[in-house]
Amino acid sequence: MFKCFQEAVALLALKSNGIATMCPPSCEPVSWGESMTPDVEYRRFLLRALLFGTLFSTVATAQLPPNHPSRQLAQTPPMGWNSWNKFACKVNEQLIRETADAMVSSGMKAAGYQYVNVDDCWQVSRDSQGNIVVDSRNFPSGIKALADYVHSKGLKLGVYTDAGRLTCQKRPGSYNHELQDAKTYAAWGVDYVKVDWCASKGLDPKVQYAKFRDALAQAGRPIVFSICNWGVDAPWTWGRTTGNLWRTTGDIEDKYDRMSVIGFSQNGLEKYAGPGHWNDPDMLEVGNGGMSHDEYQTHMTLWALLAAPLLAGNDLRSMTPETKEMLTNPEVIAVDQDGKGVQGHRVWDEGPLEIWVKPLGDGSQAVGLFNRGASAIKITLDFKMLGISSPIRVRDLWRHVDLGEARDSYTASVATHGVVLVKLSK
Ligand code: GAL
């Protein structure tokens, strides 16, 4: 409930920034300002949220301190895999090793996926010196050996902790152990750390995550720093001076409704993202079975247009060819990983139809025509929306097909919950 309430605050902050709202995962759906009873607590939090909106609507210009070891990392959105969406607490070293093997053999590594990230539940306690103790039943060889194995495959290892007192699965958090944990991770050869926000009552995320940032600096190893506080206190306004990426919402689920409410609500956050510092709308669910082909294609397309981290969340050892193809489509990944590092935004919407655009480094634009409605429909992209007057070449990125030159507009038939992703170039 506490987590839900914190997310509600974050959502109000989004709203006050003019950014669309969504339902927190663990809350009842509410329509802010319409059906919600304005009790005292709500008013207090609304006031706080409005303050965030006003105080932090300007973009911070600084990034991680120049001498911070993580400063040069994540120049494009991180790509990899994370255990949580599919395996939750059922993690062990064999799974992680097999996942690393599968990342190579499936072609995921060749497609750009790099980080193999163990989420919650690898840790059990602290020893008498306060050092974090690894679950020896599930990770008998320890994390250092696991990191060595993952590195031997040309990949990188990530771990998970929490800035509060406990992780969300009630394992020890890093609160008051920031430096000790950062040094431990560095000694193990860890390359990525996701830091959650459970059991953080009374703590200020800006303060706690800055503490972790400074601990990583002292530990000396370049480690991607992933802030996971579900958007609480608008991390996009302070995240770039603190970490490499920050979650903007509560948890994704393997359902079209939840995925789409998160993905389509990111409009307005684009000004906070760029090389080394990314908005994170949560990890991928592609291949987990809860969505149709078109819905997963919407998921992947939207994340690519959003320059979102691409952390697969399925079982890489048993992917269907269809899932593999979707996760590794080189032209779609190129949109996400484009070196210009601009997050896309919405240029048009009407009812359930939306058009999103991401400018690319070569001067072209990736454009997604999305149909959130219940039946197939034709969507027309009027080039005036993009300020284009001359004829333009159109390429379908999912299908790898050149569609020739178009003048004035481009129209596509889009399946229900589906998308057509094109690249427009001179
Ligand atoms: C949540 C987090 C999830 C996952 C989970 C682990 O707070 O958003 O991505 O890490 O905790 O307990």
Side-chain angles (χ1 to χ4, degrees):
M1 184 59 201
F2 181 61
K3 177 175 167 182
C4 155
F5 207 61
Q6 284 200 318
E7 194 188 343
V9 175
L11 296 179
L12 287 165
L14 273 169
K15 175 88 170 168
S16 68
N17 270 327
I19 293 162
T21 57
M22 67 205 82
C23 180
S26 44
C27 301
E28 285 300 301
V30 288
S31 167
W32 301 112
E34 282 167 23
S35 60
M36 200 177 179
T37 322
D39 58 20
V40 177
E41 246 173 347
Y42 169 65
R43 279 168 201 270
R44 217 179 63 214
F45 278 87
L46 181 63
L47 193 66
R48 225 178 122 195
L50 287 171
L51 270 173
F52 288 134
T54 322
L55 287 175
F56 300 117
S57 56
T58 45
V59 188
T61 47
Q63 295 182 34
L64 276 171
N67 55 351
H68 196 284
S70 309
R71 165 91 180 224
Q72 299 309 324
L73 298 177
Q75 293 303 297
T76 60
M79 290 179 68
W81 174 89
N82 174 291
S83 53
W84 184 255
N85 283 354
K86 173 72 185 177
F87 298 98
C89 231
K90 294 197 202 82
V91 282
N92 58 62
E93 64 182 38
Q94 194 187 340
L95 167 70
I96 303 305
R97 284 167 185 249
E98 288 176 7
T99 299
D101 295 346
M103 197 177 266
V104 176
S105 62
S106 64
M108 295 272 291
K109 180 188 171 200
Y113 293 84
Q114 192 183 14
Y115 294 98
V116 180
N117 295 350
V118 190
D119 207 273
D120 210 343
C121 301
W122 60 265
Q123 62 282 72
V124 277
S125 58
R126 291 197 181 271
D127 67 15
S128 54
Q129 272 82 55
N131 295 308
I132 194 75
V133 175
V134 179
D135 178 347
S136 59
R137 206 161 46 91
N138 289 320
F139 294 86
S141 319
I143 304 293
K144 166 102 178 66
L146 196 55
D148 290 346
Y149 184 80
V150 169
H151 292 159
S152 77
K153 299 270 154 186
L155 299 168
K156 294 181 185 297
L157 184 79
V159 294
Y160 161 102
T161 186
D162 192 287
R165 299 157 188 101
L166 294 172
T167 74
C168 296
Q169 301 305 310
K170 309 225 175 334
R171 308 303 173 97
S174 289
Y175 180 62
N176 277 344
H177 291 274
E178 292 84 2
L179 183 56
Q180 191 172 20
D181 285 355
K183 283 185 171 164
T184 302
Y185 303 156
W188 285 341
V190 164
D191 306 293
Y192 186 116
V193 63
K194 168 176 168 181
V195 183
D196 214 335
W197 191 235
C198 276
S200 59
K201 193 169 184 180
L203 302 178
D204 179 341
K206 286 195 282 300
V207 172
Q208 298 309 318
Y209 285 102
K211 246 171 131 179
F212 211 95
R213 171 200 63 202
D214 297 343
L216 288 172
Q218 280 192 60
R221 182 177 171 85
I223 295 178
V224 172
F225 181 19
S226 156
I227 296 167
C228 174
N229 77 329
W230 326 303
V232 175
D233 283 8
W236 43 91
T237 59
W238 46 269
R240 110 188 236 175
T241 57
T242 312
N244 297 111
L245 60 154
W246 50 87
R247 280 272 297 277
T248 56
T249 71
D251 290 8
I252 195 167
E253 289 166 47
D254 188 19
K255 293 178 184 146
Y256 177 75
D257 284 354
R258 180 65 186 153
M259 177 282 293
S260 58
V261 98
I262 289 179
F264 288 111
S265 72
Q266 302 299 298
N267 196 45
L269 291 181
E270 61 277 2
K271 58 178 176 280
Y272 301 102
H277 49 96
W278 307 101
N279 289 302
D280 174 8
D282 208 356
M283 304 169 295
L284 298 171
E285 291 282 8
V286 174
N288 279 335
M291 292 184 234
S292 69
H293 176 89
D294 288 325
E295 291 170 344
Y296 279 138
Q297 208 160 57
T298 290
H299 184 10
M300 194 70 193
T301 305
L302 199 42
W303 265 235
L305 289 169
L306 290 170
L310 297 180
L311 294 168
N314 59 317
D315 189 341
L316 301 190
R317 301 166 305 175
S318 55
M319 277 186 287
T320 62
E322 183 187 318
T323 295
K324 194 169 22 178
E325 218 178 294
M326 191 166 300
L327 286 170
T328 59
N329 185 309
E331 297 193 59
V332 178
I333 288 177
V335 171
D336 180 79
Q337 295 289 301
D338 183 73
K340 194 176 168 93
V342 175
Q343 177 175 326
H345 66 284
R346 182 168 45 225
V347 287
W348 175 86
D349 64 319
E350 197 175 292
L353 312 180
E354 302 199 11
I355 298 181
W356 288 63
V357 173
K358 181 183 198 287
L360 302 175
D362 63 1
S364 66
Q365 315 198 55
V367 185
L369 287 71
F370 295 92
N371 175 10
R372 301 175 69 178
S375 48
I377 196 163
K378 282 197 167 136
I379 303 181
T380 295
L381 165 69
D382 184 337
F383 292 161
K384 282 205 281 292
M385 286 174 202
L386 309 178
I388 298 172
S389 49
S390 51
I392 204 101
R393 281 186 291 127
V394 183
R395 180 171 173 82
D396 185 318
L397 298 185
W398 278 111
R399 293 193 297 129
H400 311 301
V401 177
D402 282 326
L403 302 174
E405 266 192 357
R407 190 180 283 277
D408 302 329
S409 69
Y410 165 71
T411 299
S413 175
V414 187
T416 170
H417 292 182
V419 63
V420 169
L421 175 64
V422 290
K423 182 169 162 170
L424 306 181
S425 28
K426 292 243 159 77

Short mmCIF file of all heavy atoms in Angstrom, two decimals, residues 89 96 146 154 207 216 222 291 309 354:
data_model
loop_
_atom_site.label_atom_id
_atom_site.label_comp_id
_atom_site.label_asym_id
_atom_site.label_seq_id
_atom_site.Cartn_x
_atom_site.Cartn_y
_atom_site.Cartn_z
N CYS A 89 11.32 -14.34 -7.76
CA CYS A 89 12.32 -14.73 -6.76
C CYS A 89 13.00 -16.06 -7.08
O CYS A 89 13.91 -16.48 -6.36
CB CYS A 89 11.62 -14.81 -5.40
SG CYS A 89 12.45 -13.88 -4.11
N ILE A 96 21.17 -18.19 -14.42
CA ILE A 96 21.89 -17.03 -14.93
C ILE A 96 22.95 -17.47 -15.95
O ILE A 96 23.12 -16.86 -17.01
CB ILE A 96 22.52 -16.22 -13.77
CG1 ILE A 96 21.43 -15.80 -12.77
CG2 ILE A 96 23.29 -15.00 -14.29
CD1 ILE A 96 20.26 -15.01 -13.33
N LEU A 146 30.10 -16.00 -10.80
CA LEU A 146 29.05 -15.79 -11.80
C LEU A 146 29.46 -14.67 -12.76
O LEU A 146 29.30 -14.79 -13.98
CB LEU A 146 27.74 -15.44 -11.09
CG LEU A 146 26.46 -15.54 -11.90
CD1 LEU A 146 26.30 -16.92 -12.51
CD2 LEU A 146 25.25 -15.21 -11.02
N GLY A 154 31.67 -12.69 -22.94
CA GLY A 154 31.67 -11.36 -23.56
C GLY A 154 30.47 -10.53 -23.15
O GLY A 154 30.10 -9.57 -23.83
N VAL A 207 18.31 12.16 -1.84
CA VAL A 207 19.44 12.02 -0.91
C VAL A 207 20.01 10.60 -0.97
O VAL A 207 21.22 10.40 -1.10
CB VAL A 207 18.98 12.36 0.53
CG1 VAL A 207 20.07 12.05 1.55
CG2 VAL A 207 18.53 13.81 0.61
N LEU A 216 29.36 4.52 -5.42
CA LEU A 216 29.89 3.90 -6.65
C LEU A 216 31.15 4.63 -7.11
O LEU A 216 32.10 4.00 -7.59
CB LEU A 216 28.83 3.92 -7.75
CG LEU A 216 27.64 2.96 -7.58
CD1 LEU A 216 26.59 3.21 -8.64
CD2 LEU A 216 28.10 1.50 -7.63
N PRO A 222 33.43 1.24 -13.12
CA PRO A 222 32.29 1.74 -13.91
C PRO A 222 31.11 0.76 -13.82
O PRO A 222 31.21 -0.37 -14.29
CB PRO A 222 32.84 1.83 -15.34
CG PRO A 222 34.32 1.71 -15.20
CD PRO A 222 34.58 0.91 -13.96
N MET A 291 0.53 -11.34 -24.12
CA MET A 291 0.06 -10.41 -25.15
C MET A 291 0.12 -11.09 -26.52
O MET A 291 0.88 -12.05 -26.72
CB MET A 291 0.92 -9.14 -25.18
CG MET A 291 0.77 -8.27 -23.95
SD MET A 291 1.72 -6.73 -24.10
CE MET A 291 2.70 -6.79 -22.60
N PRO A 309 15.55 1.65 -22.19
CA PRO A 309 16.40 0.49 -22.01
C PRO A 309 15.67 -0.74 -22.54
O PRO A 309 14.46 -0.87 -22.35
CB PRO A 309 16.56 0.40 -20.49
CG PRO A 309 16.24 1.76 -19.98
CD PRO A 309 15.26 2.36 -20.94
N GLU A 354 -2.56 6.95 -32.33
CA GLU A 354 -1.47 7.85 -31.94
C GLU A 354 -0.32 7.72 -32.94
O GLU A 354 -0.03 6.63 -33.43
CB GLU A 354 -0.92 7.49 -30.55
CG GLU A 354 -1.99 7.53 -29.47
CD GLU A 354 -1.44 7.63 -28.05
OE1 GLU A 354 -0.23 7.88 -27.88
OE2 GLU A 354 -2.26 7.44 -27.13
#
